[in-house]
Amino acid sequence: MTEAMPFRNKNEAALLLINIRQLLTLQSSEAGPRRGRDLGNLGLIEDGAVLSVGGKIVSVGKTKDALGDSWIKSNRKKIREIDCSGKVGLPGFVDSHTHPAFTAPRLADFEQRIAGATYEQIAEAGGGIRSTVEGVRKATRSALAGHVLSALHKMLAQGTTTVEAKSGYGLNLDAELKSLEAIGDAARLWPGAVVPTLLGAHALPREYEGREDKYVRIVCEEMIPRAAKRKLARFVDVFCDRGAFSLASTEHVFLAAREHGLGVRAHLCQLSHCEIVPLVKYDPASLDHMDYVGDDDIAALAAQSAISPAHQTVATLVPAANHFLGLGRFPDARRLIDSGVPVALASDYNPGTSPTTSMPFVLSLACTHLKMTPAEAIAAATINGAHALRLADCKGSIEPGKDADLAIFDVADYREIPYWIAGNRCAAVIVAGAWQAALM
Ligand code: NIG
Ligand code: FE
């Protein structure tokens, strides 16, 4: 526990967490996202301590070293100290795939599915993504921001400190921009970090039925340039699948995003196998769902990861969607991990397939259905989520220089985080070195 820096000015709050029974630092000597065996490496310190100053982590180590540190001793009065005895501390979850810009649950879809209809049948019969659009188009920007903020607060209370948030229920220029504005408004009122994504190509709006090319031109020529110019989005996403957008449309959208300086990501292989290999050249930060991937796709992603640690594509798995749709089938995480593809876990919070804000629940599903170990699931939901957002320089692990974003769980062993289901064991969150909850 050394390298502690002096306060740069008297307003820079310092926070010292001590006696953390298990501190999961997620530090690793490997560059890039965690792959293969390294995915299960949590960098665990028993009886750990973390010091942050001015929102950044300054030092990480054992409590006894922290308390013996000369800088900490001489500044003790200025440092807020929290005793985390008996608890587990880890990086705040990075939920790298969510759709919070909607106004209402889809209860008719829910009942139809219970009665036996599939996601695609429900969409064809008038439910699905397009049935959420009317509410979003009618909503005011501030009402929509209220819905987004309410979801962000629920996420924070369960240990999530960084969230990717997509538009995608407006499906015209005004309503997509309004959705991104609402995400930005909510983000400014929330302590964590929000990464906005334009998902104009989420579904073909009814008024463009049979005219995919025309709608894709609006996405490429109007939505992307406007969102980029106003810095409303950092990424552009496309739903590329059977019944959604084609590979050709996806490439058009990716090219337009690149032209306007935005990163790309996609929903892929959720309902059917789609070609992944032609998309790798666009350097997607993440390809998500991945229920139907082929050997060639896996080989291409694993090879790309081995070549360029800075430009890796993460496979983001969202098992709460499989669970909520009542599918017997889950993505083959073991095959991806064992082949060397970096895997992240995310909630996919949305009204159609995954109405959950809980990353611990997602971890639990990943352990039970994807056969990921608790350690792999935690790494996939923290450091690999940060890589999936290209934010790993500041998020996803507890190491000097990174943002002091932590979750403290009221459990004695990290494996309890996915073990206790349908309850919330998150005792507190720290965002940018500031204590957010008083549950301890
Ligand atoms: O990730 N598949 C595309 N998008 C969402 C579902 C959106 C919805 O049904 O409202 C997903 O599962
Ligand atoms: Fe999604």
Side-chain angles (χ1 to χ4, degrees):
M1 195 88 185
T2 49
E3 303 167 34
M5 301 179 312
F7 294 100
R8 284 184 291 266
N9 68 56
K10 65 180 178 354
N11 295 324
E12 279 199 321
L15 181 72
L16 177 64
L17 305 174
I18 54 168
N19 300 326
I20 307 168
R21 185 185 166 103
Q22 290 184 338
L23 173 63
L24 315 181
T25 67
L26 275 298
Q27 292 188 18
S28 161
S29 49
E30 306 277 321
R34 300 299 138 78
R35 309 190 292 130
R37 274 163 190 260
D38 195 38
L39 184 62
N41 172 11
L42 294 175
L44 191 154
I45 299 175
E46 279 172 6
D47 199 13
V50 180
L51 174 69
S52 73
V53 178
K56 298 282 180 199
I57 295 166
V58 169
S59 54
V60 181
K62 289 264 191 197
T63 299
K64 67 169 174 18
D65 296 332
L67 297 180
D69 181 89
S70 58
W71 186 87
I72 290 180
K73 278 206 242 159
S74 54
N75 287 281
R76 199 95 182 249
K77 282 206 190 96
K78 293 189 221 159
I79 301 173
R80 182 168 183 199
E81 195 172 290
I82 310 260
D83 182 1
C84 299
S85 292
K87 297 185 171 60
V88 170
L90 68 158
F93 293 123
V94 178
D95 190 348
S96 59
H97 178 148
T98 85
H99 306 247
F102 63 90
T103 57
R106 292 221 297 270
L107 303 176
D109 290 19
F110 186 39
E111 288 194 318
Q112 283 173 38
R113 198 165 48 254
I114 293 164
T118 66
Y119 183 68
E120 287 174 279
Q121 287 165 345
I122 293 167
E124 276 157 26
I129 295 168
R130 299 202 292 198
S131 63
T132 293
V133 168
E134 199 188 341
V136 169
R137 287 184 181 173
K138 277 192 187 146
T140 61
R141 168 173 165 178
S142 73
L144 203 48
H147 287 281
V148 176
L149 186 58
S150 147
L152 292 175
H153 281 314
K154 291 185 182 88
M155 291 170 182
L156 189 76
Q158 296 170 94
T160 298
T161 53
T162 298
V163 174
E164 184 257 14
K166 305 174 197 295
S167 65
Y169 294 110
L171 306 187
N172 65 29
L173 178 66
D174 287 351
E176 284 297 310
L177 294 180
K178 178 178 68 180
S179 299
L180 291 172
E181 287 165 348
I183 288 168
D185 293 345
R188 283 183 280 281
L189 295 172
W190 191 63
V194 175
V195 176
T197 293
L198 171 66
L199 178 51
H202 195 192
L204 199 58
R206 290 190 214 287
E207 59 275 21
Y208 282 89
E209 193 71 63
R211 295 185 296 152
E212 177 171 331
D213 289 357
K214 213 151 189 196
Y215 181 67
V216 169
R217 280 182 58 180
I218 291 173
V219 173
C220 295
E221 293 170 17
E222 297 180 29
M223 293 183 194
I224 291 174
R226 293 278 291 275
K229 185 153 186 237
R230 294 181 53 201
K231 297 196 183 338
L232 290 173
R234 218 180 288 172
F235 287 98
V236 174
D237 192 343
V238 184
F239 183 14
C240 174
D241 215 320
R242 183 173 71 202
F245 291 89
S246 66
L247 177 67
S249 296
T250 304
E251 293 203 52
H252 286 312
V253 173
F254 278 11
L255 274 169
R258 192 158 76 181
E259 216 173 280
H260 290 275
L262 299 177
V264 298
R265 50 204 316 112
H267 286 67
L268 270 179
C269 301
Q270 178 183 13
L271 309 168
S272 63
H273 177 254
C274 331
E275 279 193 89
I276 288 179
V277 176
L279 297 177
V280 172
K281 61 178 175 289
Y282 298 98
D283 187 24
S286 179
L287 297 175
D288 302 22
H289 285 277
M290 309 287 272
D291 291 20
Y292 292 88
V293 280
D295 290 339
D296 289 0
D297 307 318
I298 291 181
L301 292 175
Q304 185 219 18
S305 297
I307 296 165
S308 163
H311 294 281
Q312 287 171 334
T313 300
V314 174
T316 300
L317 310 181
V318 291
N322 301 66
H323 166 79
F324 188 71
L325 294 181
L327 307 178
R329 185 189 170 116
F330 283 82
D332 193 347
R334 283 265 56 95
R335 190 162 140 240
L336 289 161
I337 295 166
D338 297 341
S339 309
V341 176
V343 165
L345 288 167
S347 71
D348 195 12
Y349 172 68
N350 77 75
T353 67
S354 189
T356 182
T357 49
S358 170
M359 285 298 279
F361 177 57
V362 171
L363 267 57
S364 189
L365 293 171
C367 294
T368 299
H369 296 287
L370 274 51
K371 309 301 173 201
M372 291 172 70
T373 65
E376 287 175 333
I378 288 170
T382 53
I383 187 65
N384 277 10
H387 279 285
L389 296 179
R390 302 263 157 97
L391 282 182
D393 55 334
C394 55
K395 305 286 183 193
S397 63
I398 302 175
E399 43 194 325
K402 285 204 179 186
D403 295 344
D405 295 350
L406 284 88
I408 308 294
F409 273 75
D410 190 9
V411 293
D413 184 303
Y414 71 84
R415 291 170 295 184
E416 293 179 69
I417 296 173
Y419 174 89
W420 298 110
I421 49 173
N424 185 15
R425 295 287 180 124
C426 181
V429 270
I430 293 114
V431 183
W435 191 253
Q436 300 294 325
L439 304 176
M440 283 170 77

